[in-house]
Amino acid sequence: MEQRSNTFLENASEALKNTEQAKRRDSMARLTPLLRSAAIEDVGDFESLRQQMKQVRQHSLDNLDHYLTQFEQEAVHNGNRVHFARDAEELNSIVLDICQQHDARRVVKGKSMVTEETGLNSFLQRAGLDVMETDLGEYIIQQAVETPSHIVTPALHKSAEEVRELFKDKHDLGPRELEDTTDMVAEARQVLREHFLKAEVGIIGANALIAENGYSMLVTNEGNGDLCANLPKTLIVCTTIDRLLPRAEDATAMLRLLARSATGQSQTAYTSFYSGPSRDGDVDGPQETHIVLLDNARSEMLTGDYREMLECIRCGACLNHCPIFTSVGGHAYGWVYPGPMGSVLTPLLTSLEQSNALPNACTSCGRCAEVCPADIPLPDLLRDLRHEETREKLSPSRWRLGLKLHAWVSQQPWLYRALTATIIPLLHLMGRRRGSFTRLPFASGWTSERNFPAPQGKTFMQLYKAGMKKPNE
Amino acid sequence: MSESARSEIFAKLRTASRGGSAEAIDRERQSLQSAPAPMPPATEVCEAFLINVLKNRGSIDCAAGRGETVKAVAQYLYQYFRSHRLVAGNDPRLAAMPWRDAGVLPRFGGIEAGEPVALSFAQLAVAETGAIVTYTGKANPAANNLLPQHHIVLVDRTDLVATQEQAWTRINQDMEKRGRPRGINFIAGPSSTADIEGQLVYGAHGPRSWHVILLGDTPADILARAHSAVT
Ligand code: SF4
């Protein structure tokens, strides 16, 4: 997928012009936090639950080579072929090789952000394969030739009306009208059922890999991932090397938090653990199973300053609670992962040069860190990235100069006080009558959207000194 | 597979890892605290389970013995399909049921196109999440969970555990005895999607309806109690 992260500001203003989409985002932003908080209340002790998950995730990452070795051994013992891919291209060609070895023509896919990251679909399609997304949201945007706008609900930007028109255009509906959402879901179910039954290869992601027994865990509500895992003759699990958990029990904290944080459910309809190809006596299941483990900068993240980002469980809560994401939507971020988690991940997985606008898409309100079930300090990580951005001179030189000047003045108390003591009374006089400014030199970015309040006449230091002289008043 | 990709990735991971011995790592893992389970909606485990099944948008029933079980299944079939047929895996526990007494005609095997109802006998069930657990295999082909319109699941009261941790203790014991199943499926509700404008619709790809029948001795008014806790 072509990256457009650095035009975030332009993308965002473009997105704001679409008032219909903005309205739908608003209603999502009103509703999802309510659902989440009701569900989280129900677990009782959210804080100790997320601390427990953090401990387990940190322990797994601290000993990742150990657990990955164990997982590989167990997975091979279970009959899988395990592949390692350094980057997106390697993953894509491993998957294509497997498909070609089986002369496969049809592939069905469960939802997988990792394969969005590697651009697997278009790679396989260019090689002549018929690739069908089966998660309803992913299916909709695949038909519309668009990209996901949310990591959990990829077709969030689409209205029911748009979906109806899309199905009318792409499906052979005859006289059927698809009156409501139920009809549209039934239509997609029918069309996709055919694909499930015909596909030779199924591709799914994994929410976790269990080191002690080589199982991979898959969490869905639709059951589409499970159909991909059980019906085609060949199964390929694509995930990243950091998804390890020591034991199956260790997934419980994650499961107690994941659905509650994502959709407000206590658990998704399907939580499945798959170990490998079908056994003697099995009636169904794939004959051959592959697990492709992608690195793509994870090993660098492990040793770097942003390691905590590897603890993300992709619940989407930080998106739903972010004032920027909910205003401008996922597409403005210009790549695969949007919102606060995406603004941290994108620079790490691509480069800061290509995406330095994203860490600035933050008001530092802190809601994301508050709700994050993995307890990732997202605002801190974003601030560190902005710091790096300035250090590496990636931000516009005008900003950097301004910041430098500000820093220098702040470090000269006499000058700072002298300047504020001159400017503040002046602004006070100028703005006295109206109480605020509608225009100010050097602050048009502020005043174009809102008024700038006029200062009250004295600087903080002046008031402070006056107060110090009369301590007992 | 490119061997170099594997060794390169492992080399990087080794520099990042703490490099403790397997025993030390295991000791550290064992010292981690356990994850607190949420408060159950009722103190009695059967009731908590049934309440959570209802919350997951399943429907519930109870049956004391085999005779009542086949009757409960027959009633459900007749109510929704005016039919006597269903498909079920080759589970000896299902084969031993007196189906003819209730006029049910089960076909044992994997589900085929056009069969609307499948019956499974759960290996265990979890009160905490209102989930039933099946293992893939002859006794319960995976497609039987996924392809029918209605999925009926029998749960023996003695296979009911309170928490997810307890479920894993049971599953691990089963794996010790019988080896690792290809798939372990926790099912907590009918298949659903909210991908079109956030509106919840049931029957996305899997079953539209999910019916759980709890077998064995249960308090007489348990169904009523569970229903009143949810409405
Ligand atoms: S960063 Fe936290 S809140 Fe955001 S998706 Fe990841 S786990 Fe969820």
Side-chain angles (χ1 to χ4, degrees), chain A residues 217-429:
Chain A
M217 179 175 93
L218 180 71
V219 172
T220 75
N221 270 318
E222 295 184 10
N224 63 311
D226 292 280
L227 286 164
C228 293
N230 287 292
L231 297 189
K233 285 288 160 245
T234 304
L235 169 66
I236 309 174
V237 180
C238 295
T239 187
T240 49
I241 53 167
D242 55 307
R243 295 286 109 190
L244 267 299
L245 289 175
R247 303 166 308 163
E249 293 91 308
D250 297 322
T252 48
M254 184 194 288
L255 290 171
R256 283 179 183 134
L257 288 168
L258 178 58
R260 286 185 170 91
S261 303
T263 56
Q265 296 167 280
S266 57
Q267 174 175 334
T268 54
Y270 301 97
T271 306
S272 305
F273 293 80
Y274 291 108
S275 64
S278 69
R279 313 284 148 86
D280 287 348
D282 272 5
V283 181
D284 51 13
Q287 299 301 313
E288 198 178 296
T289 55
H290 298 259
I291 301 171
V292 190
L293 300 168
L294 173 71
D295 181 344
N296 212 25
R298 269 71 178 183
S299 54
E300 275 97 49
M301 281 170 73
L302 198 62
T303 47
D305 296 336
Y306 303 94
R307 176 186 169 125
E308 274 170 295
M309 203 55 221
L310 292 173
E311 290 160 22
C312 169
I313 59 169
R314 308 285 190 265
C315 71
C318 58
L319 280 60
N320 303 343
H321 289 76
C322 174
I324 310 262
F325 176 88
T326 51
S327 306
V328 303
H331 288 150
Y333 292 78
W335 198 56
V336 178
Y337 301 101
M341 57 85 76
S343 297
V344 178
L345 266 184
T346 309
L348 302 175
L349 298 183
T350 62
S351 74
L352 191 56
E353 262 128 312
Q354 283 166 282
S355 55
N356 62 311
L358 298 187
N360 290 289
C362 173
T363 65
S364 302
C365 72
R367 274 182 102 194
C368 52
E370 234 167 71
V371 298
C372 174
D375 194 25
I376 300 171
L378 292 154
D380 297 353
L381 300 183
L382 289 168
R383 185 204 49 221
D384 293 349
L385 283 165
R386 291 197 293 273
H387 190 68
E388 249 180 73
E389 181 202 14
T390 311
R391 225 179 28 218
E392 289 177 22
K393 302 195 170 47
L394 295 170
S395 44
S397 52
R398 206 159 47 92
W399 290 17
R400 270 181 290 127
L401 191 70
L403 274 176
K404 245 193 209 152
L405 199 67
H406 177 79
W408 185 77
V409 173
S410 310
Q411 283 165 17
Q412 325 292 326
W414 62 271
L415 179 62
Y416 187 86
R417 276 175 219 160
L419 279 174
T420 46
T422 323
I423 296 170
I424 297 292
L426 196 69
L427 285 178
H428 169 65
L429 279 179

Side-chain angles (χ1 to χ4, degrees), chain B residues 58-136:
Chain B
S59 50
I60 54 172
D61 204 352
C62 287
R66 289 181 185 185
E68 275 189 41
T69 306
V70 291
K71 219 170 21 191
V73 173
Q75 256 165 14
Y76 186 88
L77 271 180
Y78 197 73
Q79 182 187 348
Y80 288 98
F81 293 93
R82 292 281 179 265
S83 155
H84 308 276
R85 291 176 195 281
L86 52 73
V87 61
N90 270 305
D91 187 323
R93 295 173 298 174
L94 289 175
M97 297 264 176
W99 295 113
R100 281 187 24 209
D101 295 358
V104 177
L105 297 172
R107 188 181 69 74
F108 292 102
I111 189 167
E112 275 162 23
E115 286 184 304
V117 190
L119 174 71
S120 301
F121 206 131
Q123 294 296 329
L124 64 146
V126 195
E128 177 196 331
T129 51
I132 64 95
V133 182
T134 60
Y135 303 154
T136 61

Side-chain angles (χ1 to χ4, degrees), chain A residues 59 72 181 189 215 267 279, chain B residues 6 28 129 180-181 199 206:
Chain A
H59 167 80
E72 187 191 12
T181 338
R189 173 191 170 104
Y215 278 79
Q267 174 175 334
R279 313 284 148 86
Chain B
R6 182 184 182 283
E28 185 184 288
T129 51
R180 292 173 188 163
Q199 292 173 30

Side-chain angles (χ1 to χ4, degrees), chain A residues 15-162:
Chain A
L16 287 168
K17 286 186 198 145
N18 188 331
T19 50
E20 279 307 306
Q21 285 190 5
K23 248 193 246 156
R24 279 198 297 283
R25 279 197 296 274
D26 279 356
S27 68
M28 181 281 286
R30 268 199 319 272
L31 191 66
T32 45
L34 294 179
L35 294 173
R36 175 203 164 267
S37 67
I40 291 290
E41 222 158 83
D42 173 69
V43 293
D45 196 348
F46 173 64
E47 200 46 47
S48 52
L49 197 49
R50 76 167 170 175
Q51 289 316 323
Q52 200 273 346
M53 184 168 81
K54 198 171 182 69
Q55 279 188 11
V56 172
R57 289 290 290 142
Q58 272 173 352
H59 167 80
S60 314
L61 292 172
D62 282 345
N63 303 290
L64 191 55
D65 64 332
H66 170 78
Y67 286 122
L68 194 61
T69 309
Q70 194 186 4
F71 174 80
E72 187 191 12
Q73 275 166 6
E74 294 300 326
V76 168
H77 171 83
N78 294 342
N80 297 284
R81 293 207 40 202
V82 179
H83 311 256
F84 288 85
R86 276 168 289 209
D87 52 26
E89 286 88 77
E90 271 187 5
L91 179 135
N92 292 349
S93 44
I94 291 169
V95 173
L96 178 62
D97 270 357
I98 300 168
C99 295
Q100 286 174 340
Q101 276 162 25
H102 293 275
D103 287 325
R105 307 247 341 109
R106 280 169 297 238
V107 176
V108 279
K109 271 187 78 212
K111 192 165 148 341
S112 144
M113 292 311 290
V114 170
T115 59
E116 290 284 347
E117 183 182 320
T118 67
L120 179 65
N121 286 11
S122 53
F123 184 82
L124 296 180
Q125 281 163 342
R126 279 200 301 277
L129 286 161
D130 173 11
V131 183
M132 193 52 78
E133 288 287 352
T134 62
D135 170 84
L136 180 61
E138 290 280 349
Y139 174 71
I140 291 169
I141 57 170
Q142 186 188 32
Q143 295 304 304
V145 200
E146 290 171 9
T147 53
S149 59
H150 190 289
I151 59 171
V152 175
T153 46
L156 179 70
H157 57 287
K158 287 269 188 234
S159 68
E161 189 46 47
E162 285 168 320

Side-chain angles (χ1 to χ4, degrees), chain B residues 59 61-63 69 72-73 152-156 211-215:
Chain B
S59 50
D61 204 352
C62 287
T69 306
V73 173
I152 309 175
V153 186
L154 308 183
V155 175
D156 196 305
H211 186 62
V212 176
I213 307 176
L214 188 59
L215 316 186

